[in-house]
Every structure is written in C-alpha cells, then in structure tokens.
Amino acid sequence: MAVTVGDDTASVSSDNAVDRYQALGSWAQTTFSDAIVSPEVEFRKSSRSGGFGVFASNDIPKGSIVFSIPEKACVRVQDALDDEDCGKTFQALIDKAGPGGITVAMAGYLAKEYLRLQEPDTADTIKFAPYLETLPWERGINNQEHVLFWSDEDIDTYLKGSISYDEAVGLRSEVELAVRVLNGIIGPSVRAARGEQVASSKITWPWEKKAPMQDASILVDGIDTAVRGAFVTLLTRSFAQGGAAQSEERLVPLLDMLQHSDDPSVTHQTRDDGTVEVRARCDIVKGEEIFNQYQDEKARTMPYHRFFTRFGFVPGIAEPIRDLLAERSTIFFPQREAI
C-alpha cells in the first residue's frame, strides 16, 4: 500500500508539496525492493511547524516498523566518491582536508545533483531525484530556517551582540569558502549539463558547433544557493549511523521527514546490513503526529542558542526565531547579574 497524504496539506508551499512528498514515499518502495513504508502513515502539515510531518493514519502498536530504509537508499559519502564526474576529486579533497572534507564532499555531491536535476538532458539520470525535490534548498521550504539562508544584513541586525553571532559568522565563512572550492570541482559537470563550454586548450575546428564559452573561474549560476542548501540539509537532517569506531553521517530519506521532539514516538537503529529501521517507541494513536529526536541536546549539553545555529530552531519554542532575537530573548542575550 502506498503512502497517503492527508487532506489538510494545501498551501504548505507553492511548488506542489503534496506531490513531492507522495512521490518520495512511492520512490522508496518502488526503487528499493527491501524498503518498507508503513501503510499506516500519511504526510500532512505538521502540528509543530509550518512544514510537513508524518502522522499515523491508523493505530500503530509499539514495536511496529514505521520505515525501513536500506543503505542503498541513503545518501552517504560513498555516493560522492563513486560519482563518475567528481568522485576522484572528492576523494582528493577528503585526503587533504581530513574529516571536515567529508561534509564538503557530500555537500558538493548534493549540490551538483540538484543543479543537474534542473536540466532536461540530465534530470532522468539523478539517482536521488525524488528525495532531492523535498530538501530545503531555500529558506522556507518545509518551513526551514537557518543562518546560512540569511543575508549579511540580517546576521548583523538580528544576531550581532548575541552569543550565536560568532558561531553563525564562522559557519557562513566556512560555507563561502566551500562554495569557491566546489565551484572548481562540480562546476564543469553542471556546465556540461547546461551545454555550456568552458575555456580549455583543446583544439576545436571552425565547422564544429560551439556552445557559449564560460570562464571556469566564475561561479556557476545557482551554485551558491545549491551549496548553502546542501549544507543546511546536512546540518539539520543527517544522522550518525554505525558504532563509535565506524560511525558515519548519512541522509536517511523519510526518517528526516519526522519533526523533532524531546519525547519521541519512534526509535531507529542501523542493522548489520546498513538498513535503517524505524520502529514505534510506544503505541501511536490514529491521528497523532510521529516524532523523532534529532539529538538529545540535554544529554549532549547543547545550549539552545547552539541548537539554533545547527538546526535552525529552538526546541519547544513556537515563537519565530527573529521575534525572539528582536525581543533580545535570554536564550541569545544572557542578562548580566545586577551588581
């Protein structure tokens, strides 16, 4: 039975959100024979945010499988390294940059695939196309907020003087550097998909049809937005899978559709074959939204202002972030004790 979509999802976004999320569920089940999507779930507007969430369309007993996502349906660094166009360069980047290079390589792979997805000649070749269509490439998609989407003016207006300011500015600087690095790695593939020609030393004959010449040092159109969206996706949606010795960050389609709660209704674990199995942690009643816990911020001593910088929201707070900042909330602007 295919995943269904609730009736109250209208106007969540302007680009056919209902179709995109239904396509994601169908893609998982039809592309991967061992994927499981419970017939007792549906996608509709979340009760916790303006974005989408996952709800029980019928009672789900404790211990029941909600999703089972095989490893090959997850986006992993290996997908970047296996990429025909850029895999070897991604590997060289990781070798040079170390663990931090893994995130940059995955962001580059996601950005490249997303940009190629926009081109008619290459759209059908994108492995994770239905999943990419659901990701937050711009501010507001699925109600996603993040400092990487803000302008420099917004950062100064809202965050300057707060305890989040330095971390936000540092993160944005790192991503700006990554954009320039990745432009040289994924740019040629994107330009090729668009039929653009990059300046090179290769001889071309007068009778050969030539595409407009592009300077390889100039940023590919759309790459800044795509790379920022890819970093937001990795920061807010990736899950650590495997044991401490072999842990890796990966994107798990459908699992990342679940909204956050400190009292989650599911647990998830990785089996020996890499499959991510999501089960009901308790009895879930028909109509209830199904929640996951992104991270146990209390156990990991993650302050709320850092949770915001990483995930784009403050747990348990419904008020818009910019309103909290404008009001100089003590979450971001600790008050000095009176002398």
CSV table of all heavy atoms in Angstrom, one decimal, residues 271-332:
chain,number,residue,atom,x,y,z
A,271,ARG,N,20.9,-1.7,11.2
A,271,ARG,CA,21.2,-3.2,11.2
A,271,ARG,C,22.6,-3.4,10.6
A,271,ARG,O,23.2,-2.6,10.0
A,271,ARG,CB,20.1,-3.9,10.4
A,271,ARG,CG,18.7,-3.8,11.0
A,271,ARG,CD,17.7,-4.8,10.4
A,271,ARG,NE,17.9,-5.1,9.0
A,271,ARG,CZ,16.9,-5.2,8.2
A,271,ARG,NH1,15.7,-4.9,8.6
A,271,ARG,NH2,17.1,-5.5,6.9
A,272,ASP,N,23.0,-4.7,10.7
A,272,ASP,CA,24.3,-5.1,10.2
A,272,ASP,C,24.5,-4.8,8.7
A,272,ASP,O,25.6,-4.6,8.2
A,272,ASP,CB,24.6,-6.5,10.5
A,272,ASP,CG,24.8,-6.8,12.0
A,272,ASP,OD1,25.1,-5.8,12.8
A,272,ASP,OD2,24.7,-8.0,12.4
A,273,ASP,N,23.4,-4.9,8.0
A,273,ASP,CA,23.5,-4.7,6.5
A,273,ASP,C,23.3,-3.2,6.1
A,273,ASP,O,23.3,-2.9,4.9
A,273,ASP,CB,22.4,-5.5,5.8
A,273,ASP,CG,21.0,-5.1,6.1
A,273,ASP,OD1,20.8,-4.2,7.0
A,273,ASP,OD2,20.0,-5.7,5.5
A,274,GLY,N,23.3,-2.3,7.1
A,274,GLY,CA,23.2,-0.9,6.8
A,274,GLY,C,21.8,-0.4,6.7
A,274,GLY,O,21.6,0.9,6.6
A,275,THR,N,20.8,-1.2,6.8
A,275,THR,CA,19.4,-0.8,6.8
A,275,THR,C,19.1,0.0,8.0
A,275,THR,O,19.4,-0.4,9.1
A,275,THR,CB,18.5,-2.0,6.6
A,275,THR,OG1,18.7,-2.6,5.4
A,275,THR,CG2,17.0,-1.5,6.7
A,276,VAL,N,18.4,1.1,7.8
A,276,VAL,CA,18.0,1.9,9.0
A,276,VAL,C,16.5,1.6,9.3
A,276,VAL,O,15.6,1.8,8.4
A,276,VAL,CB,18.1,3.5,8.7
A,276,VAL,CG1,17.6,4.3,9.9
A,276,VAL,CG2,19.5,3.8,8.4
A,277,GLU,N,16.3,1.0,10.4
A,277,GLU,CA,15.0,0.5,10.8
A,277,GLU,C,14.4,1.5,11.9
A,277,GLU,O,15.0,1.8,12.9
A,277,GLU,CB,15.1,-0.9,11.4
A,277,GLU,CG,13.8,-1.6,11.4
A,277,GLU,CD,14.1,-3.1,11.8
A,277,GLU,OE1,14.3,-3.4,13.0
A,277,GLU,OE2,14.0,-3.9,10.8
A,278,VAL,N,13.2,2.0,11.5
A,278,VAL,CA,12.5,2.9,12.4
A,278,VAL,C,11.2,2.2,13.0
A,278,VAL,O,10.4,1.8,12.2
A,278,VAL,CB,12.0,4.2,11.6
A,278,VAL,CG1,11.4,5.2,12.6
A,278,VAL,CG2,13.3,4.8,10.9
A,279,ARG,N,11.2,2.1,14.3
A,279,ARG,CA,10.0,1.4,14.9
A,279,ARG,C,9.3,2.3,15.9
A,279,ARG,O,9.9,3.3,16.5
A,279,ARG,CB,10.5,0.2,15.7
A,279,ARG,CG,11.0,-0.9,14.7
A,279,ARG,CD,11.4,-2.2,15.5
A,279,ARG,NE,11.8,-3.3,14.6
A,279,ARG,CZ,11.0,-4.2,14.1
A,279,ARG,NH1,9.7,-4.2,14.5
A,279,ARG,NH2,11.4,-5.1,13.3
A,280,ALA,N,8.1,2.0,16.2
A,280,ALA,CA,7.3,2.8,17.1
A,280,ALA,C,7.8,2.5,18.5
A,280,ALA,O,8.0,1.4,19.0
A,280,ALA,CB,5.8,2.4,17.1
A,281,ARG,N,8.1,3.6,19.2
A,281,ARG,CA,8.7,3.5,20.6
A,281,ARG,C,7.5,3.3,21.6
A,281,ARG,O,7.8,2.8,22.7
A,281,ARG,CB,9.4,4.8,20.9
A,281,ARG,CG,10.0,4.9,22.3
A,281,ARG,CD,10.9,6.2,22.3
A,281,ARG,NE,11.4,6.5,23.7
A,281,ARG,CZ,10.8,7.3,24.5
A,281,ARG,NH1,9.8,8.1,24.1
A,281,ARG,NH2,11.4,7.5,25.7
A,282,CYS,N,6.3,3.6,21.2
A,282,CYS,CA,5.2,3.4,22.1
A,282,CYS,C,4.0,3.2,21.1
A,282,CYS,O,4.1,3.3,19.9
A,282,CYS,CB,5.0,4.7,22.9
A,282,CYS,SG,4.8,6.2,21.9
A,283,ASP,N,2.8,2.9,21.7
A,283,ASP,CA,1.6,2.9,20.9
A,283,ASP,C,1.3,4.3,20.3
A,283,ASP,O,1.2,5.2,21.1
A,283,ASP,CB,0.4,2.4,21.7
A,283,ASP,CG,0.6,0.9,22.2
A,283,ASP,OD1,1.2,0.2,21.4
A,283,ASP,OD2,0.0,0.6,23.2
A,284,ILE,N,1.1,4.3,19.0
A,284,ILE,CA,0.8,5.6,18.4
A,284,ILE,C,-0.6,5.6,17.9
A,284,ILE,O,-1.0,4.7,17.2
A,284,ILE,CB,1.8,5.9,17.2
A,284,ILE,CG1,3.2,5.8,17.7
A,284,ILE,CG2,1.5,7.3,16.6
A,284,ILE,CD1,4.2,5.9,16.5
A,285,VAL,N,-1.4,6.5,18.4
A,285,VAL,CA,-2.9,6.5,18.2
A,285,VAL,C,-3.1,7.2,16.8
A,285,VAL,O,-2.5,8.1,16.4
A,285,VAL,CB,-3.6,7.3,19.3
A,285,VAL,CG1,-5.1,7.3,19.0
A,285,VAL,CG2,-3.4,6.6,20.6
A,286,LYS,N,-4.1,6.7,16.1
A,286,LYS,CA,-4.6,7.3,14.9
A,286,LYS,C,-4.7,8.8,15.0
A,286,LYS,O,-5.3,9.3,15.9
A,286,LYS,CB,-5.9,6.6,14.4
A,286,LYS,CG,-6.4,7.2,13.1
A,286,LYS,CD,-7.8,6.6,12.7
A,286,LYS,CE,-8.3,7.2,11.5
A,286,LYS,NZ,-9.6,6.6,11.1
A,287,GLY,N,-4.1,9.5,14.0
A,287,GLY,CA,-4.2,10.9,14.0
A,287,GLY,C,-3.1,11.6,14.7
A,287,GLY,O,-2.9,12.9,14.5
A,288,GLU,N,-2.3,10.9,15.5
A,288,GLU,CA,-1.1,11.6,16.2
A,288,GLU,C,0.0,11.8,15.2
A,288,GLU,O,0.3,11.0,14.3
A,288,GLU,CB,-0.6,10.7,17.3
A,288,GLU,CG,-1.5,10.6,18.5
A,288,GLU,CD,-1.0,9.9,19.7
A,288,GLU,OE1,0.0,9.1,19.5
A,288,GLU,OE2,-1.5,10.0,20.8
A,289,GLU,N,0.7,12.9,15.4
A,289,GLU,CA,2.0,13.1,14.6
A,289,GLU,C,3.1,12.2,15.2
A,289,GLU,O,3.2,12.0,16.4
A,289,GLU,CB,2.4,14.6,14.7
A,289,GLU,CG,3.6,14.8,13.8
A,289,GLU,CD,3.9,16.3,13.5
A,289,GLU,OE1,3.1,17.1,14.0
A,289,GLU,OE2,4.8,16.6,12.7
A,290,ILE,N,3.9,11.7,14.3
A,290,ILE,CA,5.0,10.8,14.7
A,290,ILE,C,6.3,11.7,14.8
A,290,ILE,O,6.7,12.4,13.9
A,290,ILE,CB,5.2,9.7,13.7
A,290,ILE,CG1,3.9,8.9,13.6
A,290,ILE,CG2,6.3,8.8,14.1
A,290,ILE,CD1,3.9,7.9,12.5
A,291,PHE,N,7.0,11.6,16.0
A,291,PHE,CA,8.1,12.5,16.2
A,291,PHE,C,9.4,11.6,16.4
A,291,PHE,O,9.4,10.5,16.9
A,291,PHE,CB,7.9,13.3,17.5
A,291,PHE,CG,6.8,14.3,17.4
A,291,PHE,CD1,5.6,14.2,18.0
A,291,PHE,CD2,7.0,15.5,16.6
A,291,PHE,CE1,4.6,15.1,17.9
A,291,PHE,CE2,6.0,16.4,16.5
A,291,PHE,CZ,4.8,16.3,17.1
A,292,ASN,N,10.5,12.3,16.1
A,292,ASN,CA,11.8,11.7,16.3
A,292,ASN,C,12.6,12.7,17.2
A,292,ASN,O,12.2,13.9,17.3
A,292,ASN,CB,12.6,11.5,15.0
A,292,ASN,CG,13.9,10.8,15.1
A,292,ASN,OD1,14.1,10.0,16.0
A,292,ASN,ND2,14.8,11.1,14.2
A,293,GLN,N,13.7,12.3,17.7
A,293,GLN,CA,14.6,13.2,18.5
A,293,GLN,C,15.9,13.4,17.7
A,293,GLN,O,16.6,12.5,17.5
A,293,GLN,CB,14.9,12.6,19.8
A,293,GLN,CG,15.6,13.6,20.7
A,293,GLN,CD,15.7,13.1,22.2
A,293,GLN,OE1,16.2,12.0,22.4
A,293,GLN,NE2,15.4,13.9,23.1
A,294,TYR,N,16.1,14.6,17.1
A,294,TYR,CA,17.2,14.9,16.3
A,294,TYR,C,18.5,14.6,17.1
A,294,TYR,O,19.4,13.9,16.6
A,294,TYR,CB,17.2,16.3,15.8
A,294,TYR,CG,16.1,16.7,14.8
A,294,TYR,CD1,16.0,17.9,14.3
A,294,TYR,CD2,15.2,15.7,14.4
A,294,TYR,CE1,15.0,18.2,13.5
A,294,TYR,CE2,14.2,16.0,13.5
A,294,TYR,CZ,14.1,17.3,13.1
A,294,TYR,OH,13.1,17.6,12.2
A,295,GLN,N,18.6,15.2,18.2
A,295,GLN,CA,19.7,14.9,19.1
A,295,GLN,C,19.2,15.2,20.6
A,295,GLN,O,18.3,16.0,20.8
A,295,GLN,CB,20.9,15.9,18.9
A,295,GLN,CG,21.8,15.5,17.8
A,295,GLN,CD,23.1,16.2,17.8
A,295,GLN,OE1,23.6,16.5,18.9
A,295,GLN,NE2,23.7,16.5,16.7
A,296,ASP,N,19.7,14.5,21.5
A,296,ASP,CA,19.4,14.7,22.9
A,296,ASP,C,20.2,15.9,23.4
A,296,ASP,O,21.3,15.7,23.9
A,296,ASP,CB,19.7,13.4,23.7
A,296,ASP,CG,19.2,13.6,25.2
A,296,ASP,OD1,18.9,14.7,25.6
A,296,ASP,OD2,19.2,12.6,25.9
A,297,GLU,N,19.7,17.1,23.2
A,297,GLU,CA,20.5,18.3,23.4
A,297,GLU,C,20.8,18.4,24.9
A,297,GLU,O,21.9,19.0,25.3
A,297,GLU,CB,19.8,19.5,22.9
A,297,GLU,CG,18.6,19.9,23.7
A,297,GLU,CD,17.3,19.2,23.2
A,297,GLU,OE1,17.5,18.4,22.2
A,297,GLU,OE2,16.3,19.3,23.8
A,298,LYS,N,20.0,17.8,25.8
A,298,LYS,CA,20.3,17.9,27.2
A,298,LYS,C,21.5,17.0,27.6
A,298,LYS,O,22.4,17.4,28.3
A,298,LYS,CB,19.1,17.5,28.1
A,298,LYS,CG,18.0,18.6,27.9
A,298,LYS,CD,16.7,18.2,28.7
A,298,LYS,CE,15.6,19.2,28.6
A,298,LYS,NZ,14.4,18.8,29.3
A,299,ALA,N,21.4,15.8,27.1
A,299,ALA,CA,22.5,14.8,27.4
A,299,ALA,C,23.8,15.2,26.7
A,299,ALA,O,24.9,15.0,27.2
A,299,ALA,CB,22.1,13.4,26.8
A,300,ARG,N,23.7,15.9,25.6
A,300,ARG,CA,24.9,16.4,24.9
A,300,ARG,C,25.3,17.8,25.3
A,300,ARG,O,26.2,18.4,24.7
A,300,ARG,CB,24.7,16.3,23.4
A,300,ARG,CG,24.5,14.9,22.9
A,300,ARG,CD,24.1,14.9,21.4
A,300,ARG,NE,23.9,13.6,20.9
A,300,ARG,CZ,24.8,12.8,20.3
A,300,ARG,NH1,26.0,13.2,20.1
A,300,ARG,NH2,24.4,11.6,19.9
A,301,THR,N,24.6,18.3,26.3
A,301,THR,CA,24.9,19.7,26.8
A,301,THR,C,24.9,20.7,25.7
A,301,THR,O,25.8,21.5,25.7
A,301,THR,CB,26.2,19.7,27.6
A,301,THR,OG1,27.3,19.4,26.8
A,301,THR,CG2,26.1,18.7,28.8
A,302,MET,N,24.0,20.6,24.7
A,302,MET,CA,24.0,21.5,23.6
A,302,MET,C,23.0,22.7,24.0
A,302,MET,O,21.8,22.5,24.1
A,302,MET,CB,23.5,20.9,22.4
A,302,MET,CG,23.4,21.9,21.2
A,302,MET,SD,22.8,21.1,19.6
A,302,MET,CE,24.1,20.1,19.2
A,303,PRO,N,23.5,23.9,24.3
A,303,PRO,CA,22.7,25.0,24.6
A,303,PRO,C,21.7,25.3,23.5
A,303,PRO,O,22.0,25.1,22.3
A,303,PRO,CB,23.7,26.2,24.9
A,303,PRO,CG,25.0,25.5,25.1
A,303,PRO,CD,25.0,24.2,24.2
A,304,TYR,N,20.6,26.0,23.9
A,304,TYR,CA,19.6,26.3,22.9
A,304,TYR,C,20.1,27.2,21.8
A,304,TYR,O,19.7,27.0,20.6
A,304,TYR,CB,18.4,26.9,23.5
A,304,TYR,CG,17.5,25.9,24.2
A,304,TYR,CD1,17.8,24.5,24.1
A,304,TYR,CD2,16.3,26.3,24.8
A,304,TYR,CE1,16.9,23.6,24.7
A,304,TYR,CE2,15.4,25.4,25.4
A,304,TYR,CZ,15.7,24.0,25.3
A,304,TYR,OH,14.9,23.1,25.9
A,305,HIS,N,21.0,28.1,22.1
A,305,HIS,CA,21.5,29.0,21.0
A,305,HIS,C,22.3,28.3,20.0
A,305,HIS,O,22.4,28.6,18.8
A,305,HIS,CB,22.3,30.2,21.6
A,305,HIS,CG,23.6,29.8,22.1
A,305,HIS,ND1,23.8,29.3,23.4
A,305,HIS,CD2,24.9,29.9,21.6
A,305,HIS,CE1,25.1,29.1,23.6
A,305,HIS,NE2,25.8,29.4,22.5
A,306,ARG,N,23.0,27.2,20.5
A,306,ARG,CA,23.8,26.4,19.5
A,306,ARG,C,22.9,25.4,18.8
A,306,ARG,O,23.2,25.1,17.6
A,306,ARG,CB,24.9,25.6,20.3
A,306,ARG,CG,26.0,26.4,20.9
A,306,ARG,CD,27.2,25.6,21.1
A,306,ARG,NE,27.8,25.3,19.8
A,306,ARG,CZ,28.7,24.3,19.7
A,306,ARG,NH1,29.2,23.6,20.8
A,306,ARG,NH2,29.2,24.0,18.5
A,307,PHE,N,21.9,25.0,19.4
A,307,PHE,CA,20.9,24.1,18.7
A,307,PHE,C,20.3,24.9,17.5
A,307,PHE,O,20.1,24.4,16.5
A,307,PHE,CB,19.8,23.7,19.7
A,307,PHE,CG,19.0,22.5,19.3
A,307,PHE,CD1,19.3,21.2,19.8
A,307,PHE,CD2,18.0,22.6,18.4
A,307,PHE,CE1,18.6,20.1,19.4
A,307,PHE,CE2,17.2,21.5,18.0
A,307,PHE,CZ,17.6,20.2,18.5
A,308,PHE,N,20.0,26.2,17.8
A,308,PHE,CA,19.5,27.0,16.7
A,308,PHE,C,20.5,27.2,15.6
A,308,PHE,O,20.1,27.0,14.4
A,308,PHE,CB,19.2,28.4,17.3
A,308,PHE,CG,19.1,29.5,16.2
A,308,PHE,CD1,18.1,29.5,15.3
A,308,PHE,CD2,20.1,30.5,16.1
A,308,PHE,CE1,18.0,30.4,14.3
A,308,PHE,CE2,20.0,31.4,15.1
A,308,PHE,CZ,19.0,31.4,14.2
A,309,THR,N,21.8,27.4,15.9
A,309,THR,CA,22.8,27.6,14.8
A,309,THR,C,22.9,26.3,14.0
A,309,THR,O,23.1,26.4,12.8
A,309,THR,CB,24.1,28.0,15.4
A,309,THR,OG1,24.0,29.1,16.3
A,309,THR,CG2,25.1,28.3,14.4
A,310,ARG,N,22.8,25.1,14.6
A,310,ARG,CA,22.9,23.9,13.9
A,310,ARG,C,21.6,23.5,13.2
A,310,ARG,O,21.7,23.2,12.0
A,310,ARG,CB,23.3,22.8,14.9
A,310,ARG,CG,23.1,21.3,14.4
A,310,ARG,CD,24.2,21.0,13.4
A,310,ARG,NE,24.0,19.7,12.8
A,310,ARG,CZ,24.5,18.5,13.2
A,310,ARG,NH1,25.2,18.5,14.3
A,310,ARG,NH2,24.2,17.4,12.6
A,311,PHE,N,20.5,23.5,13.9
A,311,PHE,CA,19.3,23.0,13.3
A,311,PHE,C,18.3,24.1,12.8
A,311,PHE,O,17.3,23.7,12.1
A,311,PHE,CB,18.5,22.1,14.3
A,311,PHE,CG,19.3,20.9,14.7
A,311,PHE,CD1,20.0,20.8,15.9
A,311,PHE,CD2,19.4,19.8,13.9
A,311,PHE,CE1,20.7,19.7,16.3
A,311,PHE,CE2,20.1,18.7,14.2
A,311,PHE,CZ,20.7,18.6,15.4
A,312,GLY,N,18.5,25.3,13.2
A,312,GLY,CA,17.6,26.4,12.7
A,312,GLY,C,16.4,26.6,13.5
A,312,GLY,O,15.5,27.4,13.1
A,313,PHE,N,16.3,26.0,14.7
A,313,PHE,CA,15.1,26.3,15.6
A,313,PHE,C,15.5,26.0,17.0
A,313,PHE,O,16.6,25.5,17.3
A,313,PHE,CB,13.9,25.4,15.2
A,313,PHE,CG,14.1,23.9,15.5
A,313,PHE,CD1,13.6,23.4,16.7
A,313,PHE,CD2,14.8,23.1,14.6
A,313,PHE,CE1,13.8,22.0,17.0
A,313,PHE,CE2,14.9,21.7,14.9
A,313,PHE,CZ,14.4,21.2,16.1
A,314,VAL,N,14.7,26.4,17.9
A,314,VAL,CA,14.9,26.2,19.4
A,314,VAL,C,13.9,25.2,19.9
A,314,VAL,O,12.7,25.5,19.7
A,314,VAL,CB,14.8,27.5,20.2
A,314,VAL,CG1,15.0,27.3,21.7
A,314,VAL,CG2,15.8,28.5,19.7
A,315,PRO,N,14.3,24.1,20.4
A,315,PRO,CA,13.3,23.0,20.8
A,315,PRO,C,12.3,23.6,21.8
A,315,PRO,O,12.6,24.3,22.8
A,315,PRO,CB,14.2,22.0,21.5
A,315,PRO,CG,15.6,22.2,21.0
A,315,PRO,CD,15.7,23.7,20.7
A,316,GLY,N,11.0,23.3,21.6
A,316,GLY,CA,10.0,23.6,22.5
A,316,GLY,C,9.5,25.1,22.4
A,316,GLY,O,8.6,25.5,23.1
A,317,ILE,N,10.1,25.8,21.5
A,317,ILE,CA,9.7,27.3,21.3
A,317,ILE,C,9.0,27.4,20.0
A,317,ILE,O,9.6,27.2,18.9
A,317,ILE,CB,11.0,28.2,21.4
A,317,ILE,CG1,11.7,28.0,22.7
A,317,ILE,CG2,10.5,29.6,21.3
A,317,ILE,CD1,11.0,28.3,23.9
A,318,ALA,N,7.7,27.9,20.1
A,318,ALA,CA,7.0,28.0,18.8
A,318,ALA,C,7.1,29.4,18.2
A,318,ALA,O,6.9,29.6,17.1
A,318,ALA,CB,5.5,27.8,19.1
A,319,GLU,N,7.5,30.4,19.0
A,319,GLU,CA,7.7,31.8,18.6
A,319,GLU,C,8.8,31.9,17.5
A,319,GLU,O,9.8,31.3,17.6
A,319,GLU,CB,8.0,32.7,19.7
A,319,GLU,CG,8.0,34.2,19.4
A,319,GLU,CD,8.2,35.0,20.6
A,319,GLU,OE1,8.4,34.5,21.7
A,319,GLU,OE2,8.3,36.3,20.5
A,320,PRO,N,8.5,32.6,16.4
A,320,PRO,CA,9.5,32.8,15.4
A,320,PRO,C,10.9,33.2,15.9
A,320,PRO,O,10.9,34.1,16.8
A,320,PRO,CB,8.9,33.8,14.4
A,320,PRO,CG,7.4,33.7,14.6
A,320,PRO,CD,7.3,33.3,16.1
A,321,ILE,N,11.9,32.7,15.4
A,321,ILE,CA,13.3,33.0,15.9
A,321,ILE,C,13.6,34.5,15.8
A,321,ILE,O,14.1,35.1,16.8
A,321,ILE,CB,14.3,32.2,15.1
A,321,ILE,CG1,14.3,30.7,15.4
A,321,ILE,CG2,15.7,32.8,15.4
A,321,ILE,CD1,14.6,30.4,16.9
A,322,ARG,N,13.2,35.1,14.7
A,322,ARG,CA,13.5,36.5,14.6
A,322,ARG,C,12.8,37.4,15.6
A,322,ARG,O,13.3,38.4,16.0
A,322,ARG,CB,13.2,37.0,13.1
A,322,ARG,CG,14.1,36.3,12.1
A,322,ARG,CD,14.1,37.0,10.8
A,322,ARG,NE,15.0,36.4,9.8
A,322,ARG,CZ,15.3,36.9,8.7
A,322,ARG,NH1,14.9,38.1,8.3
A,322,ARG,NH2,16.2,36.3,7.9
A,323,ASP,N,11.6,36.9,16.0
A,323,ASP,CA,10.9,37.6,17.1
A,323,ASP,C,11.6,37.5,18.4
A,323,ASP,O,11.8,38.5,19.2
A,323,ASP,CB,9.5,37.1,17.3
A,323,ASP,CG,8.6,37.5,16.1
A,323,ASP,OD1,9.0,38.3,15.3
A,323,ASP,OD2,7.4,36.9,16.0
A,324,LEU,N,12.1,36.3,18.7
A,324,LEU,CA,12.9,36.1,19.9
A,324,LEU,C,14.2,37.0,19.9
A,324,LEU,O,14.5,37.6,20.9
A,324,LEU,CB,13.4,34.6,20.0
A,324,LEU,CG,12.3,33.6,20.3
A,324,LEU,CD1,12.9,32.2,20.2
A,324,LEU,CD2,11.7,33.8,21.7
A,325,LEU,N,14.8,37.1,18.8
A,325,LEU,CA,16.0,37.9,18.7
A,325,LEU,C,15.7,39.4,18.8
A,325,LEU,O,16.4,40.1,19.5
A,325,LEU,CB,16.7,37.6,17.3
A,325,LEU,CG,17.4,36.2,17.2
A,325,LEU,CD1,17.7,35.9,15.8
A,325,LEU,CD2,18.6,36.1,18.1
A,326,ALA,N,14.6,39.8,18.2
A,326,ALA,CA,14.2,41.2,18.3
A,326,ALA,C,13.9,41.6,19.7
A,326,ALA,O,14.1,42.7,20.1
A,326,ALA,CB,13.0,41.5,17.3
A,327,GLU,N,13.3,40.6,20.4
A,327,GLU,CA,13.0,40.8,21.8
A,327,GLU,C,14.1,40.6,22.8
A,327,GLU,O,14.0,40.8,24.0
A,327,GLU,CB,11.8,39.9,22.2
A,327,GLU,CG,10.5,40.1,21.5
A,327,GLU,CD,9.6,38.9,21.6
A,327,GLU,OE1,9.9,37.9,22.3
A,327,GLU,OE2,8.5,39.0,21.0
A,328,ARG,N,15.3,40.3,22.2
A,328,ARG,CA,16.5,40.0,23.0
A,328,ARG,C,16.3,39.0,24.0
A,328,ARG,O,16.6,39.2,25.2
A,328,ARG,CB,17.1,41.3,23.6
A,328,ARG,CG,17.5,42.4,22.5
A,328,ARG,CD,18.1,43.6,23.1
A,328,ARG,NE,19.5,43.3,23.6
A,328,ARG,CZ,20.6,43.3,22.8
A,328,ARG,NH1,20.4,43.5,21.5
A,328,ARG,NH2,21.7,43.0,23.3
A,329,SER,N,15.7,37.9,23.6
A,329,SER,CA,15.5,36.7,24.5
A,329,SER,C,16.8,36.3,25.2
A,329,SER,O,17.9,36.4,24.6
A,329,SER,CB,14.9,35.6,23.7
A,329,SER,OG,15.0,34.4,24.4
A,330,THR,N,16.7,35.9,26.4
A,330,THR,CA,17.8,35.5,27.2
A,330,THR,C,18.4,34.2,26.6
A,330,THR,O,19.6,33.8,27.0
A,330,THR,CB,17.5,35.2,28.7
A,330,THR,OG1,16.4,34.3,28.8
A,330,THR,CG2,17.1,36.5,29.3
A,331,ILE,N,17.7,33.5,25.7
A,331,ILE,CA,18.3,32.4,25.0
A,331,ILE,C,19.6,32.8,24.2
A,331,ILE,O,20.6,32.1,24.2
A,331,ILE,CB,17.3,31.7,24.1
A,331,ILE,CG1,16.2,31.1,24.9
A,331,ILE,CG2,18.0,30.7,23.2
A,331,ILE,CD1,15.1,30.5,24.0
A,332,PHE,N,19.5,34.0,23.7
A,332,PHE,CA,20.5,34.5,22.8
A,332,PHE,C,21.3,35.7,23.4
A,332,PHE,O,22.4,36.0,23.1
A,332,PHE,CB,19.9,35.0,21.5
A,332,PHE,CG,19.2,33.9,20.7
A,332,PHE,CD1,17.9,33.8,20.7
A,332,PHE,CD2,20.0,33.0,20.0
A,332,PHE,CE1,17.2,32.8,20.0
A,332,PHE,CE2,19.4,32.0,19.3
A,332,PHE,CZ,18.0,31.9,19.3
